[in-house]
Amino acid sequence: MNTTPSSPLHSISTTASDRPRSDQDQPQVDATKRVRAAGERALVLGGGGSTGNAWLIGVIAGLFDAGLDVTDADLIIGTSAGSTAAAQITGATPTELLDAILAAVPQQRTGPVGSDGGRVPIRPAADHMERTSRIIAAAEDAADMRRRMGAAALDLDAASGGSGQARWRATVAARLPSQHWPAHTMLITAVDADTGEPVVFDRFSGVDLVDAVAASCASGFAYGVGGSRYIDGGYRSNAENADLAAGYARVLVLSPFGGRSRTPVHWGMHLATQVDELRARGSRVETLFPDSTSEHMFGANAMDLSLRPPAARAGYNQGGAVAEQLTEFWR
């Protein structure tokens, strides 16, 4: 199902919760087990690979340069590549982050070009998509899918001896301007690889920000934090996990994948389903998807590093184009 509308920006409506942790609260890794109260503004940053991260930064920088700073949201929710973006925008200005993407050493195409001039998906990424598609097709429901994904990731780790853990943590750490959780509420999603249970990290989870982001971005392998191992947060509910914004008056969702999901509609994991539920609870919602001219940079090409600068520019242009409309909504 493709939920991308004819226009990349459209309105919908929603509600969520959040309160500071009291002295009586017991530290729990999963933030969803803490009672939260409704808030005003929530920013949801969806997954989308390397190009998705660049597009998210571009959109936020485009809005910022047009006079709208969405990084002041009362709640920021980050999933997979969106978790990296969430941590980045709380440690540096959107302009600085965009400049860093555009100033990076140009990458050569990391995927071959097909006979029609289009990019052929990078082999490891294509293999991963095929493997996970088979798991989704064999699963009975979302919970079964998460368990199967976790088991598959653990099998891969066993085969490799878990040798990539330290390297992956160092890679994620290098991407973050600050390795400290921000003072305001930020939620980072993941899935427990051993149990298949959804997990949400926050600053009270007792998990370093680097580890939370590394776990949320662990696609195809299991990332260890303490005695637990985690896989990509996109398997929790969908690439956006917008349901965590329930209770917030205004919810802005930035979705590099255009709200699409590879899971069956009746599992209830699609962004459109979550938006409907948010609307029913009284929230106003705006969603922004990549426009038709930049869609080719996401999905199968999401890990092509050479596409990061154009993805960031596309996001920047979109952010600038909708800033006036979103300003009325956000403020």
Side-chain angles (χ1 to χ4, degrees):
M1 175 179 175
N2 187 338
T3 60
T4 306
S6 56
S7 170
L9 178 67
H10 67 295
S11 296
I12 321 172
S13 304
T14 325
T15 1
S17 49
D18 201 4
R19 67 172 175 81
R21 172 171 164 262
S22 70
D23 293 337
Q24 287 73 38
D25 289 333
Q26 295 300 314
Q28 297 171 320
V29 170
D30 187 5
T32 58
K33 297 177 181 177
R34 279 183 277 279
V35 179
R36 296 178 289 138
E40 282 300 315
R41 298 175 299 182
L43 175 64
V44 180
L45 304 179
S50 184
T51 59
N53 170 266
W55 180 82
L56 290 168
I57 295 301
V59 169
I60 295 169
L63 294 171
F64 184 80
D65 285 353
L68 178 60
D69 184 6
V70 296
T71 69
D72 63 357
D74 302 299
L75 168 68
I76 299 177
I77 299 165
T79 295
S80 197
S83 73
T84 304
Q88 288 171 324
I89 63 174
T90 60
T93 69
T95 303
E96 290 170 336
L97 295 170
L98 177 65
D99 288 346
I101 294 173
L102 300 181
V105 176
Q107 299 285 329
Q108 293 185 342
R109 290 191 173 191
T110 48
V113 178
S115 58
D116 60 353
R119 290 173 187 261
V120 175
I122 303 169
R123 192 67 251 164
D127 290 344
H128 174 70
M129 292 290 285
E130 293 171 6
R131 183 169 58 251
T132 54
S133 291
R134 288 194 296 270
I135 293 174
I136 293 170
E140 297 180 0
D141 54 26
D144 185 37
M145 180 269 292
R146 287 190 291 266
R147 287 190 293 268
R148 288 171 181 262
M149 289 291 185
L154 293 172
D155 286 344
L156 286 176
D157 282 0
S160 67
S163 58
Q165 170 93 11
R167 183 169 61 251
W168 178 237
R169 191 183 196 281
T171 297
V172 171
R175 295 171 178 170
L176 306 186
S178 171
Q179 297 186 16
H180 301 288
W181 285 92
H184 65 268
T185 304
M186 182 166 69
L187 303 179
I188 302 297
T189 64
V191 170
D192 188 307
D194 293 288
T195 66
E197 288 298 312
V199 176
V200 179
F201 300 113
D202 68 0
R203 68 183 185 274
F204 303 124
S205 295
V207 173
D208 288 347
L209 178 60
V210 173
D211 289 318
V213 173
S216 187
C217 296
S219 183
F221 68 99
Y223 181 80
V225 182
S228 299
R229 291 169 292 183
Y230 301 95
I231 58 173
D232 196 292
Y235 299 125
R236 176 192 171 274
S237 181
N238 68 351
E240 297 82 20
N241 289 294
D243 62 294
L244 292 172
Y248 279 75
R250 287 159 289 167
V251 182
L252 175 60
V253 182
L254 306 184
S255 173
F257 281 153
R260 295 184 294 274
S261 175
R262 293 189 292 155
T263 61
V265 176
H266 68 270
W267 286 7
M269 298 177 70
H270 288 67
L271 176 60
T273 301
Q274 295 189 3
V275 166
D276 286 343
E277 292 173 353
L278 290 171
R279 181 195 314 180
R281 298 181 63 175
S283 295
R284 296 174 60 201
V285 180
E286 293 279 3
T287 61
L288 186 63
F289 306 153
D291 59 29
S292 59
T293 64
S294 58
E295 286 178 337
H296 66 283
M297 293 186 282
F298 309 98
N301 290 320
M303 301 312 295
D304 189 336
L305 298 180
S306 71
L307 292 176
R308 276 180 59 79
R313 293 189 192 96
Y316 183 85
N317 292 336
Q318 280 191 262
V322 301
E324 183 176 354
Q325 180 181 343
L326 284 180
T327 296
E328 181 180 358
F329 162 78
W330 195 250
R331 293 178 178 170

